[in-house]
Amino acid sequence: MMLPIACAVTGLAGGTAAYFLGAPDTASLIWSVGVVPVLAILLWEIVVSLRRGDVGLDLVAALSMTAALLVGETLAAAVVALMYASGQALEAYAAGRASREMNALLDRVPRTATRYSGDTLQTIPISDVAVGDRLLVHLGDVLPVDGTVVGSALLDEAPLTGESLPVTRRDGEAAMSGSTNVGAAFDLLASEPAARSTYAGIVRLVEEATKAQAPMTRLADRYALGFMAATLGLAAFAWWISGDAVRAVAVLVVATPCPLILAVPVAIVAGISRAARVGVLVKGGAALETLGRIRTLVVDKTGTLTHGSAAVSQIVATPGWTEAEILRLAASLDQASQHAVARAVVTAAAERGLVLDLPTETREVPGEGVEGRIAGRLLRVGGKGFVSNAMSDDDRATLMAAVPAGALTVALSVDGAFAGLVLMRDALRADVSGTLARMRTLGVTRIVLATGDRKDVAVAITENLGIDDIAADLGPEDKIALVRREKARAPVMMVGDGVNDAPALVEADLGIAMGAKGAAASAEAADVILLRDSLDGLGEAMAIGQRSRAIALQSVLAGIGLSGIGMVAAALGYLPPVQGALLQEAIDVAVILNALRALRPG
């Protein structure tokens, strides 16, 4: 990018000096020589683009320089060459500044790790780290893989979650790759290889986001072709009515380059970067634009509206069973599930010191429950509907009667007989009410709760939240059907965190995953990931999407409007080529600076 600018500056300055020294012919020659390298580079780029099937406004820039040289407007050609080269450099700078938060994530990727090997330490490539390796993390190191803290650690998780204050992770707690150690050195037990760790996944998603082209950008490309046709038509008309080719050149000059193709990409990338700064990873411009037009919110309950860390509050055992045995068996089978409620049951059993058996022949129905064998006996644990399907009518009636109204319940059957219940408590996130209220102010007109739990449980926990509809007892297929029905009304955003939410996230116009603790499947399926384990980023992301889209449209409309006025003035002979080039450069700078406003809070 520096070579075209250097050639243009040198040619323009040398020719101007020659002109004022009384050598206009020499000045014209120098101006022409300064234009030729820029024009040659531009023509080569156009050829490369045409081979890819891309036709853009670079063609107008090439035509304006060529036409200016042919009609003897060599100074105008030199100014256009400088303005075009500087405009491209300005666009590259603006895009780089807009994407700085995302680039910062990519630049922080660790390359090596320090691993214990007997009594020595080895520096190894992070690709060589295996699950179970014990690593030493020095002060200032970026954690190379996901792992478990040995001792305690003080970590800066801001690049991942947006949390501004360092977080203390104690012995046995999980630590995410990509965090920075801001305290004393500590040991980390690797729980994932580098390729499957949190930070590697985020980096991969960031790379995908930087490559994805927004619909508005593609729309701008199509409009650019129309703008080019209008430019050529107006230039030909100006030449025809005046008989002066200079007027046609002036029209071409004013149209070079065009704010239509400068403002949109900068505003969209700036919005994505702004979202990354607050802990929201947007997978490309298409997702950011969709955020700006959502009208319906479909939201999961467990792990999304609630913390997903339900605690055991009570155990109900049928005759012949003890409470401890009910919890032990339920937890033994729940070891085969990654559902938040299943993990809470296992944790409760561990806290009580119960010895768990290893389940065999397990089969999980996402969002409903798990079936398997413990010590040769067939067990089912999960929702009452899932567990009661394998029971006799009498046992089914007994189970239904035992379930308290509005309680989050885990049922257990042994060899087809009802054995007991584990009653859970899962509190709402503190930020739920405020987030939903903000979504209303941002244009969401309908909020639907989609949950696999019973309706009375969902109604009890979401009271006074202003939810328009509650769909309960849903499996993954039901959630997909619900999203499809809502899509027929308005653009739909689905928010979830579990494996069972992944299909619905794909089906929605926009899928949003709770990425900090959510399942990998939902994070991969989603268009937007909330890296912080909080819902407040949801409203922030939607506000950023709306603002970025509005700024892009504002920049385009203002830029095209001003360019159009300038082109008409040039066609009527009121704007010579040199002044037209200077005017257009001022317009380009203005729309790019305006597009960069998307980096700042609204």
Side-chain angles (χ1 to χ4, degrees):
M1 191 59 66
M2 296 306 298
L3 177 60
I5 292 179
C7 293
V9 169
T10 302
L12 185 60
T16 302
Y19 182 83
F20 283 107
L21 289 174
D25 293 338
T26 303
S28 181
L29 178 61
I30 295 174
W31 285 328
S32 300
V33 170
V35 171
V36 169
V38 179
L39 183 57
I41 293 172
L42 176 56
L43 289 174
W44 174 252
E45 292 176 351
I46 290 173
V47 170
V48 173
S49 298
L50 290 175
R51 286 177 177 173
R52 295 197 307 262
D54 297 334
V55 180
L57 287 178
D58 286 350
L59 187 58
V60 175
L63 287 174
S64 65
M65 280 186 267
T66 303
L69 291 176
L70 291 175
V71 299
E73 290 285 341
T74 53
L75 174 58
V79 172
V80 171
L82 177 60
M83 296 311 174
Y84 177 79
S86 61
Q88 295 296 99
L90 178 61
E91 181 188 9
Y93 166 77
R97 182 168 180 261
S99 61
R100 66 179 183 264
E101 303 298 332
M102 300 175 73
N103 290 334
L105 283 173
L106 299 176
D107 292 341
R108 296 179 70 257
V109 177
R111 309 297 179 191
T112 61
T114 303
R115 181 176 65 185
Y116 286 93
S117 179
D119 296 330
T120 64
L121 290 170
Q122 294 179 330
T123 300
I124 60 172
I126 64 169
S127 58
D128 292 348
V129 176
V131 175
D133 281 352
R134 189 182 182 106
L135 308 176
L136 176 63
V137 183
H138 299 91
L139 171 64
D141 282 356
V142 176
L143 273 62
V145 297
D146 292 347
T148 303
V149 172
V150 178
S152 66
L154 186 63
L155 302 176
D156 176 11
E157 298 180 350
L160 302 176
T161 67
E163 176 59 53
S164 58
L165 298 177
V167 177
T168 300
R169 297 297 178 193
R170 309 205 178 273
D171 190 65
E173 290 188 346
M176 292 185 293
S177 57
S179 307
T180 301
N181 180 20
V182 294
F186 69 95
D187 289 351
L188 181 76
L189 290 179
S191 59
E192 293 283 355
R196 294 207 304 269
S197 289
T198 300
Y199 197 59
I202 291 174
V203 168
R204 183 175 64 254
L205 295 174
V206 168
E207 289 173 339
E208 292 174 359
T210 58
K211 295 175 184 176
Q213 192 182 35
M216 189 181 290
T217 303
R218 295 194 298 269
L219 185 64
D221 289 340
R222 292 198 296 272
Y223 283 162
L225 294 178
F227 184 83
M228 181 169 64
T231 299
L232 296 176
L234 183 59
F237 179 74
W239 191 358
W240 177 65
I241 62 171
S242 67
D244 185 3
V246 174
R247 287 197 188 184
V249 171
V251 172
L252 294 174
V253 163
V254 173
T256 309
C258 174
L260 182 63
I261 58 174
L262 297 178
V264 174
V266 171
I268 295 299
V269 174
I272 294 173
S273 187
R274 171 67 191 162
R277 191 186 307 173
V278 297
V280 180
L281 178 57
V282 182
K283 297 183 186 178
L288 189 75
E289 285 190 45
T290 305
L291 269 170
R293 56 185 184 86
I294 291 297
R295 293 296 174 262
T296 299
L297 170 65
V298 177
V299 60
D300 175 51
K301 181 177 74 67
T302 304
T304 305
L305 288 185
T306 67
H307 289 282
S309 54
V312 173
S313 60
Q314 184 182 351
I315 300 171
V316 178
T318 59
W321 295 96
T322 65
E323 293 182 7
E325 188 65 6
I326 292 298
L327 180 58
R328 190 187 75 83
L329 289 175
S332 294
L333 185 54
D334 266 341
Q335 292 177 102
S337 173
Q338 291 300 311
H339 194 278
V341 173
R343 292 196 298 269
V345 172
V346 174
T347 299
E351 290 173 348
R352 289 165 173 77
L354 301 178
V355 179
L356 305 184
D357 292 329
L358 199 62
T360 59
E361 302 178 27
T362 59
R363 179 182 67 88
E364 181 174 11
V365 178
E368 298 187 30
V370 186
E371 179 183 76
R373 292 190 179 274
I374 300 291
R377 307 187 74 174
L378 182 63
L379 274 66
R380 273 195 171 202
V381 61
K384 65 179 183 180
F386 173 75
V387 174
S388 65
N389 283 339
M391 292 181 181
S392 65
D393 292 340
D394 290 342
D395 273 341
R396 186 179 296 110
T398 303
L399 187 159
M400 297 301 179
V403 175
L408 176 60
T409 305
V410 175
L412 172 69
S413 69
V414 179
D415 293 328
F418 174 46
L421 302 173
V422 179
L423 304 184
M424 312 291 294
R425 181 180 61 252
D426 187 11
L428 280 175
R429 296 179 184 271
D431 54 1
V432 165
S433 180
T435 296
L436 296 185
R438 187 179 186 190
M439 299 294 285
R440 295 285 193 186
T441 66
L442 292 170
V444 171
T445 58
R446 179 171 169 81
I447 300 176
V448 180
L449 177 65
T451 177
D453 289 335
R454 298 196 321 271
K455 189 161 189 174
D456 54 353
V457 175
V459 169
I461 202 168
T462 58
E463 189 177 5
N464 300 323
L465 287 182
I467 290 177
D468 298 294
D469 192 14
I470 295 176
D473 294 312
L474 301 181
E477 298 83 1
D478 301 318
K479 288 186 177 182
I480 293 174
L482 172 65
V483 168
R484 286 174 178 166
R485 288 196 300 272
E486 295 298 333
K487 281 174 66 177
R489 301 184 179 190
V492 172
M493 173 167 59
M494 167 74 188
V495 187
D497 79 315
V499 174
N500 58 314
D501 296 321
L505 294 177
V506 174
E507 182 64 34
D509 294 296
L510 189 76
I512 296 188
M514 302 292 291
K517 293 185 179 178
S522 60
E524 290 291 339
D527 303 296
V528 177
I529 300 175
L530 305 181
L531 298 176
R532 186 164 45 200
D533 194 31
S534 169
L535 271 181
D536 58 1
L538 191 59
E540 188 71 16
M542 190 167 178
I544 289 171
Q546 290 184 350
R547 186 165 183 266
S548 299
R549 191 170 189 273
I551 287 173
L553 287 173
Q554 178 189 82
S555 298
V556 166
L557 293 176
I560 291 297
L562 292 173
S563 294
I565 293 172
M567 289 163 61
V568 171
L572 296 176
Y574 296 117
L575 194 61
V578 174
Q579 289 87 334
L582 295 174
L583 173 65
Q584 184 58 56
E585 181 65 9
I587 294 171
D588 294 335
V589 171
V591 298
I592 287 178
L593 292 178
N594 185 65
L596 283 172
R597 289 194 301 114
L599 278 173
R600 302 197 300 271

